[in-house]
Amino acid sequence: QVQLVESGGGSVQPGGSLRLSCAASGAISGCMGWFRQAPGKEREGVAVMDSDGTTRYTDSVKGRFTISKDNAKNTLFLEMNSLKPEDTAMYYCAAGSFLLGPWNRGLAPGQYNYWGQGTQVTVSS
């Protein structure tokens, strides 16, 4: 089975940057992505990328976050810039066996079969 392990979280001040990594073991195909969940809020899709290279971002992070992957190392990344306090959350890596499309945005947590343990991101002054 696929195993996902996130790293790179931490505490930063507003305007700071972090780079999250998701190391995957086992065969990965379809779509992978980053999700986040803050206390009292539902889990939301942040950025996703399928095996064809199609990406989607939630509106609140467009222009600030970038999703990428290194296929040779089976590693997914999330570069986060200009961080805001509202970005504070537990960030999770996920994988699912599907491709993105016009009617499949890939941002719903229920679409994904495999999940990492999460890494905490805290943005505060």
Side-chain angles (χ1 to χ4, degrees):
Q1 292 287 345
V2 173
Q3 292 188 355
L4 306 172
V5 180
E6 304 96 331
S7 62
S11 181
V12 298
Q13 294 190 334
S17 299
L18 285 172
R19 190 189 197 200
L20 306 183
S21 298
C22 172
S25 62
I28 298 293
S29 66
C31 192
M32 296 185 68
W34 292 95
F35 296 76
R36 66 187 181 187
Q37 187 167 23
K41 296 184 178 180
E42 64 184 19
R43 188 170 298 188
E44 66 169 341
V46 176
V48 298
M49 172 182 282
D50 69 16
S51 58
D52 289 340
T54 302
T55 61
R56 299 193 197 281
Y57 298 86
T58 191
D59 287 344
S60 64
V61 309
K62 288 180 179 177
R64 300 189 298 122
F65 291 11
T66 302
I67 188 171
S68 62
K69 60 184 175 182
D70 184 334
N71 288 326
K73 297 182 179 180
N74 278 349
T75 303
L76 186 73
F77 303 99
L78 183 67
E79 296 181 1
M80 305 185 294
N81 300 312
S82 301
L83 284 162
K84 304 175 180 179
E86 51 263 44
D87 295 318
T88 296
M90 184 73 73
Y91 282 71
Y92 299 90
C93 177
S97 300
F98 63 92
L99 295 176
L100 302 177
W103 293 273
N104 187 2
R105 301 180 68 244
L107 291 169
Q111 296 181 262
Y112 295 81
N113 306 114
Y114 305 100
W115 293 85
Q117 83 288 350
T119 185
Q120 179 68 39
V121 172
T122 302
V123 185
S124 63
S125 300

